[in-house]
Amino acid sequence: MTKWQQLKLGEIATFVNGYAFKPSGWNDTGIPIIRIQNLNNDNASRNYYNGQLDEKYRVVRGDILISWSATIGVFEWTREDSYLNQHIFKVVFNKLKVNKSFFKYLIKQKINEMLAKVHGSTMKHITKSNFDNIPILLPDINEQDRIARILDKAEEIRTKKKLANEKLDEFLKSTFIDMFGDPVTNPYEYKITNIGEACYFVKDGPHKSPTYVQEGVPFISVNNIISGKWDFSKVKYISKEDHYMFKKRCHAVKGDILYTKGGTTGFAKLVDIDIEFSNWVHLAVLKFDNNILNGKFFEYMLNSKYCYAQSQRRTRGIANRDLVLGEMKKIAFYLPPIEEQKNFERIALKVEAQKEKNQKVIEQMDNLFNSLMQQAFNSSL
């Protein structure tokens, strides 16, 4: 059996913190700067530095990076040479022979352990001294290679399933454009309408904070629908009495649209469940004639770039963003014949059903991967 050494992270590699760039030093040209947002999102905006820094701040393809403030995570850089911003470590393997892939999984496991210890609180950052002193078990390089191969294969399968759902999303968006044309140019010259004209009911939820209870009627907020699907994992509850009072003003039922109007604005979710609930002021309820407007078509239309851009132009405020109902009603869109809308709904439902199947496999793969990680770092894989 391979012997695992008891070490500290600082004994196996050097962790170089990024350069403390000032916003005044950012440019539109020069060498790209890696900020935490660029690790999480390849499409995030980039800043540039038009000058020369110590080479220790340069990141090249294949370097391992660890964000240690606000967002805690480990990443392998796959893009062009860049300079590293502060709050991110570059890992320099200059002390022991270490498999990079094994190291990534090791750090992920340690991050998971640290997050579990804070019991749901947000872990703001890890100081360098604390990071260097994190205890780890390290096997010899041959065992690292073996474990990395197993975990890499499991990760590859998991990633392919996740990409499959992304491809299905892309397919549905392209199908929408193929069927109805670009909303900006309206090539089929469909009738132009807007939310105020197409909906006979446009109201938001109660404007006062409710009294929450342990059990009762779900009180839906933006966070419960923003992912594009229902998320009741952190839903709050109100009493039946408050629900009865609130529903006199605004009551969503199956077939209606919920539309986000406060904080994160401009996202639509079709109510396709039979659960009784109330909704917060930051959600508007849209009711419409199903003989003219199909709910699934309407959901995808409102979530299109065309309608979303309108919602952002009409949203007021910066810190406290609000898409007031009067402005919401002005959001325009085209209105194809109802049968064509229903044809799109049939395609969308099939695609969403396949995504649900894929998601179940992804969850199984996540559980398997987490189990493999536990085994790997308990020296039992």
Side-chain angles (χ1 to χ4, degrees):
M1 183 176 179
T2 301
K3 185 178 179 181
W4 292 54
Q5 296 183 71
Q6 177 75 54
L7 298 167
K8 295 178 180 178
L9 275 178
E11 294 178 300
I12 69 173
T14 299
F15 302 94
V16 179
N17 190 21
Y19 184 76
F21 289 99
K22 295 180 180 179
S24 59
W26 295 345
N27 288 285
D28 295 326
T29 60
I31 297 177
I33 299 171
I34 302 174
R35 300 170 63 197
I36 289 177
Q37 66 188 32
N38 305 121
L39 298 176
N40 298 317
N41 180 6
D42 285 344
N43 297 318
S45 61
R46 301 292 302 273
N47 300 110
Y48 298 83
Y49 182 70
N50 198 354
Q52 291 293 321
L53 294 177
D54 191 303
E55 281 299 299
K56 70 180 182 179
Y57 299 119
R58 184 181 292 272
V59 174
V60 301
R61 187 186 301 271
D63 279 345
I64 303 299
L65 306 176
I66 301 172
S67 58
W68 55 268
S69 180
T71 299
I72 314 295
V74 56
F75 308 86
E76 181 174 352
W77 188 246
T78 60
R79 299 168 68 181
E80 72 272 45
D81 290 9
S82 304
Y83 280 143
L84 191 65
N85 193 37
Q86 63 181 338
H87 301 150
I88 305 172
F89 292 138
K90 180 176 76 170
V91 184
V92 181
F93 296 99
N94 59 351
K95 297 181 178 179
L96 294 176
K97 196 170 184 180
V98 180
N99 179 295
K100 284 186 180 181
S101 188
F102 174 89
F103 180 82
K104 281 195 302 179
Y105 296 124
L106 172 66
I107 297 300
K108 284 180 182 180
Q109 182 69 9
K110 285 297 173 183
I111 289 172
N112 289 339
E113 290 175 4
M114 288 186 287
L115 289 173
K117 288 179 181 178
V118 297
H119 302 295
S121 302
T122 301
M123 188 164 62
K124 297 296 184 184
H125 68 274
I126 309 171
T127 64
K128 187 173 187 305
S129 60
N130 286 341
F131 197 83
D132 281 341
N133 285 299
I134 292 174
I136 58 108
L137 288 170
L138 187 73
D140 63 41
I141 190 63
N142 292 329
E143 182 67 1
Q144 292 178 42
D145 292 343
R146 185 186 74 84
I147 291 172
R149 284 194 298 271
I150 295 172
L151 294 177
D152 281 344
K153 189 63 179 177
E155 178 73 356
E156 179 186 356
I157 296 170
R158 188 168 67 153
T159 300
K160 283 181 178 178
K161 280 296 178 183
K162 291 178 179 178
L163 287 174
N165 271 3
E166 292 178 13
K167 293 294 183 183
L168 285 172
D169 285 334
E170 292 173 10
F171 166 76
L172 205 48
K173 289 176 183 177
S174 64
T175 298
F176 188 95
I177 298 298
D178 289 343
M179 290 181 68
F180 306 113
D182 188 337
V184 176
T185 58
N186 189 15
Y188 301 120
E189 299 182 348
Y190 294 130
K191 175 187 173 182
I192 300 296
T193 186
N194 58 45
I195 290 176
E197 292 176 350
C199 300
Y200 61 83
F201 182 98
V202 180
K203 286 190 177 181
D204 50 17
H207 286 226
K208 67 172 186 176
S209 297
T211 300
Y212 296 115
V213 296
Q214 288 295 110
E215 295 182 359
V217 179
F219 191 69
I220 302 298
S221 71
V222 173
N223 292 333
N224 301 122
I225 65 167
I226 199 62
S227 64
K229 55 187 177 183
W230 299 98
D231 181 3
F232 287 91
S233 61
K234 295 182 180 179
V235 74
K236 295 181 179 179
Y237 297 90
I238 60 173
S239 67
K240 291 183 179 179
E241 292 75 17
D242 278 351
H243 171 61
Y244 180 75
M245 178 177 64
F246 293 155
K247 69 187 294 186
K248 291 179 181 178
R249 168 184 171 82
C250 177
H251 183 220
V253 298
K254 191 173 184 178
D256 293 341
I257 289 282
L258 291 177
Y259 197 50
T260 63
K261 62 175 293 289
T264 303
T265 63
F267 287 90
K269 180 73 183 93
L270 175 66
V271 180
D272 51 8
I273 55 175
D274 286 313
I275 297 175
E276 186 80 3
F277 64 84
S278 279
N279 58 278
W280 183 221
V281 62
H282 290 163
L283 289 175
V285 175
L286 312 183
K287 297 179 182 286
F288 44 91
D289 186 346
N290 288 292
N291 294 312
I292 299 173
L293 188 55
N294 175 270
K296 183 59 67 174
F297 167 85
F298 196 19
E299 177 187 50
Y300 274 81
M301 184 76 248
L302 290 176
N303 287 330
S304 69
K305 291 182 180 179
Y306 176 67
C307 286
Y308 179 73
Q310 293 182 67
S311 74
Q312 299 313 289
R313 288 196 300 270
R314 296 186 179 280
T315 295
R316 300 174 181 173
I318 298 175
N320 298 309
R321 305 179 77 243
D322 187 24
L323 176 59
V324 298
L325 297 180
E327 290 298 304
M328 180 188 297
K329 290 178 180 179
K330 297 175 184 177
I331 294 174
F333 58 95
Y334 54 42
L335 195 62
I338 189 62
E339 286 306 317
E340 293 182 28
Q341 297 179 43
K342 289 180 178 178
N343 285 338
F344 174 77
E345 177 188 38
R346 284 188 278 271
I347 296 171
L349 291 175
K350 289 180 180 178
V351 170
E352 290 174 0
Q354 184 59 53
K355 284 180 62 180
E356 278 294 316
K357 291 180 181 178
N358 288 350
Q359 186 58 39
K360 289 178 181 178
V361 175
I362 290 169
E363 290 169 4
Q364 292 171 353
M365 288 302 304
D366 285 344
N367 291 334
L368 173 61
F369 185 79
N370 290 334
S371 176
L372 288 173
M373 288 272 283
Q374 289 287 343
Q375 293 178 54
F377 297 105
N378 287 330
S379 65
S380 58
L381 182 62

